[in-house]
Amino acid sequence: QVQLVQSGAEVKKPGASVKVSCTASGYTFTSYDINWVRQATGQGLEWMGWMNPNSANTGYAQKFQGRVTITMNTSISTAYIELSSLKSEDTAVYFCARRLIRGEKYFDLWGRGTLITVSS
Amino acid sequence: EIVLTQSPGTLSLSPGERATLSCRASQSVSSNYLAWYQQKPGQAPRLLIYGASSRATGIPDRFSGSGSGTDFTLTISRLEPEDFAVYHCHQYGSSHTFGQGTKLEIK
């Protein structure tokens, strides 16, 4: 089954860091970039960044530069996003989504999301 | 950054009716790289349309996309009960930005 399975919900304190995983199955992991998108409650979607599993190249939205790191372990088809210096405004559902490397850059498969709550 | 504005914010219609959702960009979207997604509560977004007008695999033909440049439209020709959800537009021609979403609710 073609899917992206994400790690479970977490509660973090302000100033802490969080790392969310996204494990792919059912397709060739190296044929797709992994992107990360978040959604605060009642809000729209917000793109955070991407990583190419072949080159390890990354790109981040300017808003998150210096605070976000995307990594991968291709041997287990898993991508990670780490967000540091958490603030209450980072409370959101974090989605991973794949994008065909050789093709248009839309997201054709999404994970079910991971709720990150930042609260003291 | 390209800002996408979706309208209306909420659309109230009945099953069987036609739905027309709008997505307007603050500047021209390169190569009409505009996608539409459907999202139901507690679920991940599902790709409906890419390249402004191409239906994704498995998407019923009652869903259609149109437009170019700065003005794009998603049309659902005859609403089915399962179509009531939130719809997001996404431009991927210049980095990535999303609209704020249109909620399609049952009247």
Side-chain angles (χ1 to χ4, degrees):
Chain A
Q1 185 180 1
V2 179
Q3 60 181 351
L4 298 170
V5 178
Q6 298 186 221
S7 50
E10 300 201 48
V11 179
K12 295 291 184 180
K13 294 195 181 302
S17 296
V18 68
K19 191 171 186 178
V20 178
S21 69
C22 170
T23 300
S25 61
Y27 72 91
T28 302
F29 186 68
T30 51
S31 294
Y32 294 82
D33 292 339
I34 293 290
N35 287 252
W36 290 90
V37 177
R38 76 178 187 180
Q39 184 176 39
T41 302
Q43 302 298 309
L45 299 165
E46 183 175 35
W47 178 74
M48 300 180 71
W50 64 274
M51 185 170 190
N52 182 307
N54 301 301
S55 64
N57 286 342
T58 56
Y60 301 117
Q62 191 170 8
K63 174 178 179 177
F64 301 103
Q65 288 273 3
R67 208 160 66 91
V68 67
T69 304
I70 297 173
T71 56
M72 283 184 175
N73 184 337
T74 55
S75 67
I76 55 171
S77 301
T78 299
Y80 306 89
I81 186 168
E82 184 168 19
L83 188 61
S84 62
S85 304
L86 289 168
K87 301 170 264 193
S88 59
E89 309 90 270
D90 294 318
T91 294
V93 176
Y94 289 74
F95 295 99
C96 59
R98 75 173 193 182
R99 179 187 73 190
L100 188 63
I101 291 174
R102 289 189 173 83
E104 291 184 32
K105 299 185 189 314
Y106 53 84
F107 305 147
D108 72 337
L109 178 69
W110 297 61
R112 297 192 66 171
T114 297
L115 175 62
I116 302 300
T117 303
V118 183
S119 174
S120 54
Chain B
E1 174 179 295
I2 297 177
V3 177
L4 299 180
T5 301
Q6 292 186 241
S7 61
T10 302
L11 184 58
S12 300
L13 293 170
S14 300
E17 290 193 293
R18 180 185 186 89
T20 303
L21 287 67
S22 173
C23 177
R24 179 162 290 178
S26 60
Q27 54 189 281
S28 185
V29 176
S30 172
S31 300
N32 294 328
Y33 284 155
L34 192 288
W36 290 92
Y37 303 87
Q38 176 193 69
Q39 186 180 26
K40 296 180 180 178
Q43 296 186 18
R46 176 173 74 140
L47 176 68
L48 300 174
I49 301 288
Y50 63 91
S53 61
S54 297
R55 261 189 308 277
T57 303
I59 301 304
D61 60 8
R62 64 179 182 274
F63 290 91
S64 63
S66 62
S68 64
T70 60
D71 289 298
F72 300 89
T73 301
L74 174 70
T75 302
I76 310 172
S77 58
R78 289 178 316 281
L79 286 166
E80 298 286 343
E82 62 268 27
D83 298 337
F84 292 91
V86 176
Y87 291 83
H88 305 275
C89 59
H90 163 215
Q91 73 77 24
Y92 50 94
S94 173
S95 188
H96 296 273
T97 52
F98 293 86
Q100 80 279 19
T102 289
K103 181 180 181 180
L104 178 56
E105 64 177 24
I106 298 177
K107 187 174 182 179

